[in-house]
């Protein structure tokens, strides 16, 4: 009697990095190479749209001062509150994270029947305690350079950039959890080569 082989589940790889690290560029590069990407930032933005539960809970806690003139969420106003007060940041996480995890779980189930590697692009991957993954990729960038890029290219004030970085897990702890580290301290050409290395590593896991 021939034993029928069960279909192999796709690899699930966590992708993380501090703010300003270039994680979104890496995520897009891995998608271009054939991966499926589940982007936690995109999920958060969808859940924070007017009328959605996360939006309603945030307005209930912080009031209309966190709204834009158009009635949507003023993300900078929220950042000015939560990244200067640990208790407020904890409150935001308690509102956002459970529903984000539910949506990530739903998408993981949705893509589980495919063969493409699934990239879980989650900024707070280390802090969130995801353990059931086939590997973790960390995009690494020196904190000083991250601040410089946030100010130069994304319009952050230096104070805001430093506040956000100081509220994340430290670089050393993030790297300690990594199975593969992408160095983004150079230019975009070098980053492309690093993404190629990461893709080769991912493909090697399935052999």
């Amino acid at each position: 009697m021939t034993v029928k082989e069960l279909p192999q589940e796709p690899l699930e790889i966590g992708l993380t990095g501090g703010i300003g690290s270039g994680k979104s560029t890496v995520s897009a590069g891995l998608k271009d190479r054939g991966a499926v990407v589940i982007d936690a930032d995109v999920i958060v933005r969808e859940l924070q749209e007017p009328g959605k539960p996360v939006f309603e809970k945030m307005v209930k806690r912080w009031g209309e001062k966190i709204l834009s003139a158009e009635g949507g969420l003023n993300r900078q106003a929220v950042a000015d509150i939560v990244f200067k007060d640990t208790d407020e940041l904890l409150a935001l996480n308690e509102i956002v994270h459970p529903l984000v995890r539910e949506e990530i779980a739903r998408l993981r189930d949705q893509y589980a029947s495919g063969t493409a590697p699934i990239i879980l692009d989650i900024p707070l991957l280390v802090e969130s305690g995801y353990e059931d993954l086939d590997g973790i990729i960390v995009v690494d960038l020196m904190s000083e350079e991250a601040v410089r890029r946030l100010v130069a290219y994304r319009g952050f004030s230096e104070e805001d950039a430093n506040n956000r970085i100081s509220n994340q897990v430290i670089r050393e702890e993030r790297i300690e959890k990594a199975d593969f580290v992408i160095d983004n301290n150079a230019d975009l050409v070098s980053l492309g080569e690093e993404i190629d290395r990461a893709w080769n590593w991912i493909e090697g896991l399935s052999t």
Side-chain angles (χ1 to χ4, degrees), residues 98-141:
L99 291 176
V100 172
R101 290 185 75 99
E102 285 182 13
E103 180 62 9
I104 288 174
R106 186 188 71 79
L107 291 171
R108 290 171 81 178
D109 288 342
Q110 176 182 317
Y111 295 126
S113 59
T115 57
I118 299 171
I119 305 297
L120 302 181
D121 182 346
I122 304 176
L124 301 181
L125 181 78
V126 174
E127 297 92 324
S128 300
Y130 280 88
E131 300 289 348
D132 56 334
L133 300 172
D134 296 299
I136 293 176
I137 297 173
V138 168
V139 185
D140 183 51
L141 181 66

Side-chain angles (χ1 to χ4, degrees), residues 19-204:
I19 185 170
S21 66
K23 180 177 58 61
S24 295
T25 302
V26 172
S27 177
L30 294 174
K31 184 176 182 179
D32 288 342
R33 288 160 176 78
V36 169
V37 175
I38 298 175
D39 190 329
D41 282 341
V42 171
I43 293 171
V44 169
R45 288 180 178 274
E46 290 173 350
L47 293 175
Q48 289 177 338
E49 290 177 355
K52 296 294 182 67
V54 169
F55 177 88
E56 301 297 339
K57 290 180 180 180
M58 291 177 67
V59 174
K60 182 177 180 181
R61 180 173 179 88
W62 292 294
E64 295 187 358
K65 63 185 177 183
I66 66 169
L67 299 182
S68 67
E70 295 75 25
L73 201 63
N74 182 332
R75 299 182 190 284
Q76 187 58 53
V78 176
D80 289 342
I81 294 170
V82 303
F83 291 114
K84 295 179 181 178
D85 187 318
T86 304
D87 290 337
E88 299 295 352
L89 180 58
L90 179 61
L92 176 65
N93 290 340
E94 289 176 345
I95 290 171
V96 174
H97 286 179
L99 291 176
V100 172
R101 290 185 75 99
E102 285 182 13
E103 180 62 9
I104 288 174
R106 186 188 71 79
L107 291 171
R108 290 171 81 178
D109 288 342
Q110 176 182 317
Y111 295 126
S113 59
T115 57
I118 299 171
I119 305 297
L120 302 181
D121 182 346
I122 304 176
L124 301 181
L125 181 78
V126 174
E127 297 92 324
S128 300
Y130 280 88
E131 300 289 348
D132 56 334
L133 300 172
D134 296 299
I136 293 176
I137 297 173
V138 168
V139 185
D140 183 51
L141 181 66
M142 292 185 294
S143 298
E144 297 81 1
E145 177 63 11
V147 170
R148 188 193 71 78
R149 293 182 188 181
L150 289 169
V151 172
Y153 304 123
R154 292 175 59 180
F156 284 65
S157 69
E158 188 170 332
E159 179 186 11
D160 188 17
N162 277 305
N163 283 339
R164 294 186 189 225
I165 289 172
S166 67
N167 277 286
Q168 296 181 335
V169 66
I170 60 174
R171 281 181 66 205
E172 291 78 8
E173 185 175 346
R174 195 182 293 118
I175 291 172
E176 186 179 323
K177 298 288 186 179
D179 297 296
F180 190 96
V181 176
I182 289 178
D183 183 351
N184 189 22
N185 286 287
D187 56 21
L188 283 174
V189 173
S190 297
L191 181 58
E193 294 171 351
E194 289 287 289
I195 296 171
D196 283 335
R197 285 201 315 115
W199 185 248
N200 289 336
W201 173 75
I202 291 171
E203 288 188 314

